[in-house]
Amino acid sequence: MHENFKELFEPESIAIIGASHDPKKIGHTILRNLVDGGYKGRVYPVNPSGGEILGKQVYTSIGEIEEEVDVVSLAIPARFCLDAVKECAANGVKYLQVVSSGFSEVGNHKEEREIVRIARESGMRVLGPNIFGMYSSKISMNLTFSASEIKPGGVAILTQSGALGIALIGRTAVDNMGLSTIVSTGNKSDLDEADLLEYLSDHDDTKVILMYIEGIKNGRKLLPVLKKTSLKKPVIVIKSGRSERGARAAASHTGSLAGLDAIFDSVIKQCGALRAENLEEAFNWCRFLSFSPEPSGRHTVIVTNGGGIGVLATDACEKYNIELFDDQSVLKEYFEDATPSFGSTRNPIDITGGAMADDYRAALTAPVDCPDIDSTLTLYCETAVFDSDNLVPMVRTTYEKHIEAQKPVAYAIVGGESVEKAIGQLNQENLPVFRDVEPAVSCMGALYRFTEFKNRARVETKTPAINMDEINAIIDKAIADGRSFLLANEAQDVMKVSGIQVPGSHIAKNLNSAVEAAESIGYPVVMKVVSRDIIHKSDAGGLALDLQSREEVIEAYEAIMKNCRAYDPDAHITGIEVTEMVTSGLEMVVGAIKDPAFGPVVMCGLGGIYVEVMKDVAFRSYPLNEEEARRMIREIRSHPLLFGVRGEKKKDIEGLVDTILKLGAILSSCDRITDIEINPIVVYEESAGLKALDVRILLKNSKED
Amino acid sequence: MHENFKELFEPESIAIIGASHDPKKIGHTILRNLVDGGYKGRVYPVNPSGGEILGKQVYTSIGEIEEEVDVVSLAIPARFCLDAVKECAANGVKYLQVVSSGFSEVGNHKEEREIVRIARESGMRVLGPNIFGMYSSKISMNLTFSASEIKPGGVAILTQSGALGIALIGRTAVDNMGLSTIVSTGNKSDLDEADLLEYLSDHDDTKVILMYIEGIKNGRKLLPVLKKTSLKKPVIVIKSGRSERGARAAASHTGSLAGLDAIFDSVIKQCGALRAENLEEAFNWCRFLSFSPEPSGRHTVIVTNGGGIGVLATDACEKYNIELFDDQSVLKEYFEDATPSFGSTRNPIDITGGAMADDYRAALTAPVDCPDIDSTLTLYCETAVFDSDNLVPMVRTTYEKHIEAQKPVAYAIVGGESVEKAIGQLNQENLPVFRDVEPAVSCMGALYRFTEFKNRARVETKTPAINMDEINAIIDKAIADGRSFLLANEAQDVMKVSGIQVPGSHIAKNLNSAVEAAESIGYPVVMKVVSRDIIHKSDAGGLALDLQSREEVIEAYEAIMKNCRAYDPDAHITGIEVTEMVTSGLEMVVGAIKDPAFGPVVMCGLGGIYVEVMKDVAFRSYPLNEEEARRMIREIRSHPLLFGVRGEKKKDIEGLVDTILKLGAILSSCDRITDIEINPIVVYEESAGLKALDVRILLKNSKED
C-alpha cells in the first residue's frame, strides 16, 4: 500500500509487447500515441518479427532490451499473455499494463489469477487486464489506444469501463477540459482504485479526480484512501447500478459484487466523495471544482437580470442545499447602486432586464467587497438592450476579481447565438459558464459539500469500550451448540454486556416460574417461546402480549406451549420468556452488518413496517464518530419525529448515537458476528434512554437466509 | 372562451403605436422585426411625429388608418397607454398587445384594470401588459422586440416571463428548434394561458407546446383546456417556485398566487401536462416529442456498444419509469446476429466496443422488425475501431426506418470532436441526438407519459349521488349558530348522509346518559368533549381513550368536565360524546380543500403524524374518475401498506376511492364548505370498509387559521 507508484505513472522506460506494424492493430496505436504524444522516456517496441515501427527499432523479446524496463504494455491475444508475463518477471519489469482482454470479464479467472501470482512473485505489479491504458501529462505519456491528442490540465480520470472511458476522454477535448492523468482499471486483478487514488492523492498536478465505478471489490481498502484524498482534493464519482436492475446488469457485466447501492452511496459520501447523477453533471463539477476557490462561509447571493430565472435558481438552491443570504440591510447597502427602483435588492437580487454591463459590474463587485457574502450565483438572460460583446469581458473580470478575493462564483447564461459564442470563447479561456441555471447551482452545491467535508471537525473515532470477552463467551456457547444465531436471551445478554438497555425478563422453564417471574417484573408482561428451532415466534403462535394478570399469564403459557408443539412437534423448547411490557415511545430500528464490499456498516431508521415500505434508513461505514452518527440520523426522512413534532419532546438522540456506535463496535470486534439488528428499539425522551425490544444476532455460516 | 383567436394569431393588419424613428427604441425594434420577418399583412406604424420609418408611412393616430385594424401593438410609456387604449377601442381594434410595462407588476393594478375595462366594453381583448410580443410562423409575423430571426417549426412557446422568454427564443436558434408560435403572457390582465392554449390546441402547425409559468391566477379555467390540449399534443411545462423560498420569490415577482407546489404538480400532471425539471430538459423534450412517433406498447430495448453506459441507461430507465423488455427467446432471435459471443443479447443488448456500422445497422433493424419491441434506446460510445464518418448515415437510416415503422428511438452518443461534429450535423437535419444517456432516457420517459395519458380510458367522471339538501341543512344550522366549523357530531352526520361509515356514538348531556350510551355501544369506548369553544380537545384534556367499564366511564366523564372548565372557564360545553372504540386497521388521512387557484382538490395519505413529517400525500383536482383516484393512491410512497405487506391482506382500496370521490363531491357541491379532513380514517381489509374516526369540516370565513 505504501509504494508511491511513481514508476508506474512516471516511468523512464516503456516497452510495448505486441507493438504492431499494422496501423489497424491496437499494439500499433499504443506505440503511435506514445511517440506522437511526445513521451520523454525511452520506448521499446517488442515484436518477434523485429524490424522498425514508426522509426523505432523493434526488439524481438523483453530479454533483448539491455536496461530494466519500468512499464510494459501488453497488447497481445490473451493466450500468449502468460508466457509474456513470465518473461517480464524474469527481466525485472516493475509494472505491467495488461491491455489484452479475455480474462475474468469473460469468465477466465484462472489465467488472470496466474498472471498476478507470477507477477507478485517477482515484485511486479499489474494494471488490468482489459484496459485501454494510461496517460500522464507530466511526462507527456499517452500509453493508450484512445484519443491521440489529450489536453494537459488538472483533472485525473480513473475509469473501470474501457468503452465509456475512451468516450469520456474524447469529450474532455470538446469541453476543453485538461487532464493530468488517465488510468483504466479494467478487471482490477491486482492494482485497484485504492492504489491509484493513493498516488493521485499526493499528485500535485491533479486538482480534481473523476472516478467511474461499476463495482467495488475491496471497499474496506478503498474507504480510508478515499477519505484521505477527499480531504485534499475533490473526488467525483459516477457509479452505475443505482437501480436494482442496473445493479444486476453491472454485476453480470463486470463480475464485481454490486451490493446495495444505498450502502455504497452512504459510505462514499461519508468519505467525502461527491457522487454525480450523470456524466454531464460529473463533467461540470470537474470543470468548476478544478477552477474555483473555496467559500469561507454559507452566505450565497443570486444576482440576476430576470425575475424568472432568479426564481428557478432559488428552487435549485433548495435542491442543492445552498443557503441564501438574507440580511436585508447588508444586501441593500451593497446592491442598491446597481439595482433600479423596479428591481429588487432582496435575494435573488434582480438588477432587471435593463441592466447594462456597468450595472452587472457594480452588482458583481458587491459580493467581492462585502465581507458577509461568501459566494455568488450570477444569472444572465439575453436581452435586447445588453450588447453581448460585453459578455466575455464581464465574465472574465468577475472571475478575476472573485479569484483574487478567493470567493466562488458560478455563471449561468441563457440565450441565443451570441451567448453561445461567448460561452465558447469563455470555455476556451477555461472559465466555466453554464447554459442553464441548474448545472451552475449544482456545481456550487458540490463545491460546498467538498469544503464542508474538509472543514468538519476531524474528530478521531473513539471505539466504545465493550467487554468482548463476555460476548465471545456467549457466542462460543451458541457455536458449541451448533447454532448460527443467538437465542433471544443470549442476544439480550450481549446487549446487557454492552450497556444497551433491554426490558426486564426471565426465562421460565415451567408454569410456576413463569407466574413468579411475571409477579416480580410487574404487569403487564409479554411472553415468548424460547427455542432454537423456532425463529419466527409469532408464526408459531409462540407470542402473547399485554398480559394483565396471573390468570392471563397461566392461560398464555398453556396456549404458547400448545401452539408451538403443533407448529413443530420436534422443536426443542428451552422455556418461555416472560418480559416487561414496555411503555410506548418512538420505535426505531438500528443494526450493524458486514457488507461484502465495505465491511462493517451501521444502519438506523424508523422502526416496524416502515423500514420495509418506506425504505427510510441511513447507512454509515464503521468506525464513525458521534458527529457522523448524528448526521446519519438526520438523513432519515422521518428524523423530525426524533426532534419533536406537534409539541412532543425531543427524543434521546444521544442514546441512539451511543447504541449505533456500540453495535458497530461489537460487530467489528467479533469476526463471528455477521448481523445485529434491534427492531424495534424504543426511543424515549431526551436522557430517558432507549429499550431494545427485539434483538437478532446472526453468526457466520448462518443457515438463515 | 369560444372565440378562436385567429385574428390575434393571424391578423391581416397590424398597427404599432409607439413605432419609433430611433433604432434603439423598442417601438422601432418591433416594427423592424415585423418588416424584416416578412409579415404578409398590412403594417401601420403610428407615431404623432409622422414621417416614414423603414420605408413605411407613419400614421399620427389610429384614427387616421382607414381600415379596421386586427392587432395593435402598444409600445409607449405606461402613462400614455390609457388614452391610446381608448382610441383603439373607438376605432374597432380587435386585439391589443400591451408591450408597455409599469402596471400590476410594479403595483399599478388600477390602470391595468382600467385598460381591460375599456377594452372589453368595445369587445377588444388584451394581451399583456408587460410582454415582449408574439410570433406566428404561418404568416411570418414577428411582432416582438426579441430575436430578429426565428426559425419556423412545430414548437409553440407560451411564456409568462419576458426576460427568460426572449433568452429561450435565442436558444431555439442555437438548438435549431423551429417555432410555430410565441406568446408572451406577461401580467395576464385579460388573456391568459387558458385562452392561448385554446387556440394552440387546434393549431395544426403546432406539434408541441412549451409553457413557462411563474404563477397561476385562474387554475379552474386552465385545467380543462390543458387536459383537452394534452389529449392532442404534448404540453411541456416549466414552473418556477418549486421550493418554498422560490415560491415566495415568484409571488413577489409576479404578484400571482403561488399556492402549494405539490398541488400544482399533481393537478397539471392529472391533466396530462409534462412538467420538466429544468430548461435543458424542457428543450430536449420539445425536440424529441415534436419529432418522434408514439410507442404502441411498453416494451423497450437498450442497444449499446459499451456495458458501462448500458448500465447507466438501465438506471435511468428505472428513474423515468421505462419498462425493459425481457423475453430472452425473442431478444436472442432478433439480436443474435448482431452480437458477438462476448457481448450480450440480454437487455441492455451489448453489441460490444468492436461493433462496426454494419453491426449497429443489424442491431437497429431488429427493433423495427420485431413486433414485440415497441421502442429503442440506442447508445454509442466512441471507439477506436468505429469510423465516426459512419455515425451520421447510421443515425439517419435508423431514424428513417423507425419512423417508417412508427416506433420511437432515442440516441445517446458519447465521445470527442468527431462525435460532436456528427451531433451538430444531425442537429442541422433535425434528428435529435443526445450527448449523455440521461437526457435520451428522460425524453423517452416523457414520450411514454404523453402516450399513456392519451391512451388511458377516457372514462367520464361520475359524481357520487349525495343528498346535499340534508348536508346543507346541517350547515345552515351551524351558520345560524355563528360557527365557521361543524361540531364533531354534525361532521359525523355529514359522513352518515354521504354513506361514509363513522363509529357508533352518542352525545351525552349528563353522566347518566353517558353511562347508558357506553353500555349500549359496548366497551371499550372513547369519550370526547363537545364544545364550539374547544377545538383542540386533547390540549384541553377533553379526551379519554379505551374506557373498559362503567366505572372508568364515570371517572372519565368527571375528569373531562373538570379539565375543560379549567382550560376555558367560559367555554360552552354541549355535552360529552361517547364513541365506539374502533378496532385497529391502517390509519390514513383523506381530505378535500378549495385551492385558491385550482378549486376543489382532494388529498390522501398515510395518517397520523406521518402526514406532517413524511409529507407522504397525493393530490388531485376534483372531479376525477375512479381510475385516477386509484392512480393517486398508488402515488403515495407508503401505498404498499394498502396492498398488503409481510403477509397482511390487501386493504379496502375501493372503499378508499369511494370516500375520496365523496369528499370531493361534497366540497364541490357546497360553496360554503372550504375544507374537509378525515384524520384518521381507519382502512380495513378488502371489502371490510373504512371508519372515519375524526372528521373536521370548515366553513367559509372560518375564524380558524
Side-chain angles (χ1 to χ4, degrees), chain A residues 24 29 106 145-146 161 163-174 212 214 238-250 253 275 277-281 305-312 314-316 318-319 324-326 342 346-348 350 353 380-385 413-418 420 435-439 586 606 608-610 612-614 616 637-641 645-646 648 679, chain B residues 24 26 29 106 145-146 161 163-164 166-174 212 214 238-250 253 275 277-281 305-312 314-316 318-319 324-326 342 346-348 350 353 380-385 413-418 420 435-439 586 606 608-610 612-614 616 637-641 645-646 648 679:
Chain A
K24 283 187 192 138
T29 308
V106 294
F145 62 86
S146 74
S161 167
L164 192 55
I166 294 174
L168 291 182
I169 291 161
R171 176 78 72 88
T172 61
V174 176
Y212 174 80
E214 299 187 329
I238 309 170
K239 179 179 167 284
S240 61
R242 218 180 245 280
S243 64
E244 212 176 290
R245 183 179 177 126
R248 266 187 285 131
H253 165 58
R275 185 172 183 188
E277 181 77 14
N278 50 49
L279 302 176
E280 193 75 33
E281 183 169 68
N305 70 341
I309 51 168
V311 177
L312 289 174
T314 306
D315 289 344
E318 185 170 285
K319 181 170 173 184
L324 292 177
F325 180 55
D326 262 335
F342 55 100
R346 291 188 184 277
N347 199 357
D350 185 358
Y380 166 79
C381 267
E382 187 176 15
T383 68
V385 298
I413 297 187
V414 183
E417 302 286 5
S418 62
E420 200 61 22
R435 283 178 184 82
D436 193 354
V437 172
E438 190 158 326
L586 184 65
L606 195 61
I609 215 153
Y610 300 101
E612 204 172 314
V613 174
M614 305 294 275
D616 187 20
R637 281 199 306 273
S638 50
H639 76 268
L641 292 174
V645 284
R646 288 222 196 177
E648 279 187 17
N679 187 8
Chain B
K24 282 186 191 139
I26 277 176
T29 309
V106 292
F145 62 87
S146 75
S161 167
L164 192 53
I166 293 175
L168 291 181
I169 291 161
R171 176 79 74 83
T172 60
V174 176
Y212 173 80
E214 299 188 329
I238 310 170
K239 177 179 167 285
S240 61
R242 220 180 243 279
S243 65
E244 214 176 290
R245 184 180 176 123
R248 265 187 288 130
H253 165 56
R275 185 172 182 187
E277 181 78 13
N278 51 48
L279 302 176
E280 193 77 32
E281 183 169 71
N305 70 340
I309 50 166
V311 178
L312 289 176
T314 305
D315 288 344
E318 186 169 284
K319 182 170 172 184
L324 293 175
F325 181 55
D326 261 334
F342 55 99
R346 289 188 187 278
N347 199 359
D350 185 357
Y380 165 79
C381 268
E382 187 175 15
T383 69
V385 298
I413 297 187
V414 183
E417 302 286 5
S418 62
E420 199 62 22
R435 285 177 182 80
D436 193 354
V437 173
E438 191 159 324
L586 185 65
L606 197 60
I609 214 154
Y610 299 101
E612 205 171 315
V613 174
M614 306 294 274
D616 187 19
R637 284 199 305 274
S638 50
H639 76 269
L641 293 174
V645 285
R646 290 222 196 176
E648 278 187 17
N679 186 8

Side-chain angles (χ1 to χ4, degrees), chain B residues 206-486:
Chain B
T206 297
K207 305 299 173 206
V208 173
I209 299 163
L210 171 61
M211 292 174 80
Y212 173 80
I213 299 175
E214 299 188 329
I216 290 293
K217 283 182 177 169
N218 190 347
R220 296 184 80 166
K221 179 178 162 196
L222 176 63
L223 295 182
V225 186
L226 191 56
K227 184 169 177 184
K228 191 178 87 173
T229 310
S230 295
L231 286 168
K232 295 180 189 162
K233 51 190 82 170
V235 181
I236 295 163
V237 172
I238 310 170
K239 177 179 167 285
S240 61
R242 220 180 243 279
S243 65
E244 214 176 290
R245 184 180 176 123
R248 265 187 288 130
S252 87
H253 165 56
T254 63
S256 322
L257 205 70
L260 194 61
D261 189 74
I263 292 182
F264 175 88
D265 199 71
S266 296
V267 303
I268 67 150
K269 282 182 187 160
Q270 180 184 350
C271 294
L274 305 167
R275 185 172 182 187
E277 181 78 13
N278 51 48
L279 302 176
E280 193 77 32
E281 183 169 71
F283 264 62
N284 286 338
W285 289 359
C286 281
R287 292 175 62 210
F288 188 71
L289 294 180
S290 61
F291 169 83
S292 181
E294 289 170 39
S296 51
R298 296 280 298 163
H299 292 167
T300 303
V301 292
I302 298 172
V303 176
T304 178
N305 70 340
I309 50 166
V311 178
L312 289 176
T314 305
D315 288 344
C317 282
E318 186 169 284
K319 182 170 172 184
Y320 295 102
N321 193 26
I322 289 172
E323 206 175 297
L324 293 175
F325 181 55
D326 261 334
D327 186 329
Q328 199 47 42
S329 63
V330 174
L331 290 173
K332 205 172 165 209
E333 181 190 341
Y334 280 88
F335 289 100
E336 204 167 26
D337 291 347
T339 310
S341 62
F342 55 99
S344 169
T345 60
R346 289 188 187 278
N347 199 359
I349 289 142
D350 185 357
I351 59 174
T352 81
M356 302 295 181
D358 282 346
D359 302 313
Y360 260 103
R361 243 187 303 275
L364 294 174
T365 307
V368 173
D369 294 340
C370 174
D372 290 329
I373 296 173
D374 302 305
S375 61
T376 314
L377 294 162
T378 309
L379 316 175
Y380 165 79
C381 268
E382 187 175 15
T383 69
V385 298
F386 190 102
D387 183 349
S388 50
D389 285 348
N390 290 318
L391 214 46
V392 171
M394 179 179 99
V395 174
R396 199 187 287 137
T397 313
T398 312
Y399 270 125
E400 277 165 13
K401 285 197 178 168
H402 276 75
I403 284 170
E404 201 184 299
Q406 286 292 299
K407 287 187 180 187
V409 57
Y411 257 101
I413 297 187
V414 183
E417 302 286 5
S418 62
V419 160
E420 199 62 22
K421 220 182 92 195
I423 291 175
Q425 168 69 33
L426 290 162
N427 196 16
Q428 282 306 314
E429 298 181 23
N430 275 315
L431 300 173
V433 174
F434 304 98
R435 285 177 182 80
D436 193 354
V437 173
E438 191 159 324
V441 182
S442 157
C443 282
M444 189 62 88
L447 179 63
Y448 266 107
R449 274 193 281 146
F450 169 63
T451 306
E452 278 160 15
F453 174 75
K454 291 204 309 175
N455 292 345
R456 261 177 226 162
R458 302 182 190 200
V459 180
E460 281 306 302
T461 54
K462 272 184 300 186
T463 306
I466 287 172
N467 186 336
M468 288 307 297
D469 291 344
E470 281 188 50
I471 291 177
N472 276 316
I474 296 169
I475 292 167
D476 288 343
K477 199 171 148 288
I479 285 175
D481 211 12
R483 275 182 280 122
S484 55
F485 59 90
L486 298 190

